[in-house]
Amino acid sequence: MVVRVLFVCLGNICRSPMAEGMFRAKVDAAGLTNRIRVDSAATGNWNLGNPPHRGTQQVLTKHGIDYSQMRARLIGTDDFGDFDYVIGMDGSNMQDLEALQPADSTVVLKKLMDFAQDETQSDVPDPYYTGNFDETERLVSAGCDGLLRAVREKFDI
């Protein structure tokens, strides 16, 4: 079985591609590349087809993560059937996702920070507006660590 994880933010150029890349790197480091599939998407359509924001590119480059194939895309109702986890970055993303989620969906729909241990912050602030890519990187990394732990426990991998 392949576990499928989708990260979602507003524009799919800052937080969700950062989470996609960092989570994929953690999955690879754990030797689970063939067991966990990762993607990202947007709730808004402003940046469709665009690569990650230069601030996210810098974070991913620092970690040796290739983002060359990443392009912003819009989440659709089919994603709720195609993925096991749909992970939003903040409360606003979650409201949008809950409104889009089909009634018969069995996807795990949570915020990334729900998985972060010892974090008091419940949302990952959008660095497009804050300019603080370092804070976003720290929070995304903590959330991805917790999410990987949760996936490994749930699926015994």
Side-chain angles (χ1 to χ4, degrees), residues 23-80:
F23 190 70
R24 183 176 288 123
K26 292 173 188 294
V27 165
D28 292 350
L32 298 171
T33 305
N34 295 329
R35 301 293 310 271
I36 301 174
R37 186 177 69 121
V38 188
D39 197 2
S40 63
T43 59
N45 62 3
W46 305 277
N47 297 300
L48 300 184
N50 290 342
H53 184 281
R54 70 183 183 292
T56 293
Q57 290 180 15
Q58 290 170 348
V59 168
L60 295 176
T61 297
K62 180 172 75 173
H63 292 279
I65 298 168
D66 179 21
Y67 56 84
S68 62
Q69 300 302 310
M70 291 183 185
R71 293 292 179 270
R73 74 171 185 90
L74 192 62
I75 187 168
T77 54
D78 288 352
D79 288 315
F80 290 91

Side-chain angles (χ1 to χ4, degrees), residues 8-130:
V8 181
C9 69
L10 182 62
N12 193 212
I13 59 168
C14 292
R15 296 171 292 173
S16 57
M18 185 184 296
E20 175 187 350
M22 292 180 78
F23 190 70
R24 183 176 288 123
K26 292 173 188 294
V27 165
D28 292 350
L32 298 171
T33 305
N34 295 329
R35 301 293 310 271
I36 301 174
R37 186 177 69 121
V38 188
D39 197 2
S40 63
T43 59
N45 62 3
W46 305 277
N47 297 300
L48 300 184
N50 290 342
H53 184 281
R54 70 183 183 292
T56 293
Q57 290 180 15
Q58 290 170 348
V59 168
L60 295 176
T61 297
K62 180 172 75 173
H63 292 279
I65 298 168
D66 179 21
Y67 56 84
S68 62
Q69 300 302 310
M70 291 183 185
R71 293 292 179 270
R73 74 171 185 90
L74 192 62
I75 187 168
T77 54
D78 288 352
D79 288 315
F80 290 91
D82 293 343
F83 288 88
D84 301 295
Y85 290 82
V86 173
I87 307 296
M89 296 294 139
D90 64 28
S92 178
N93 301 151
M94 293 303 291
Q95 288 177 334
D96 292 340
L97 292 168
E98 289 163 358
L100 186 62
Q101 182 179 18
D104 61 349
S105 169
T106 59
V107 73
V108 175
L109 179 59
K110 291 190 175 223
K111 283 195 292 187
L112 181 61
M113 296 314 294
D114 292 343
F115 296 97
Q117 295 180 341
D118 305 321
E119 281 294 338
T120 56
Q121 201 152 334
S122 65
D123 287 344
V124 178
D126 191 342
Y128 185 85
Y129 300 106
T130 68

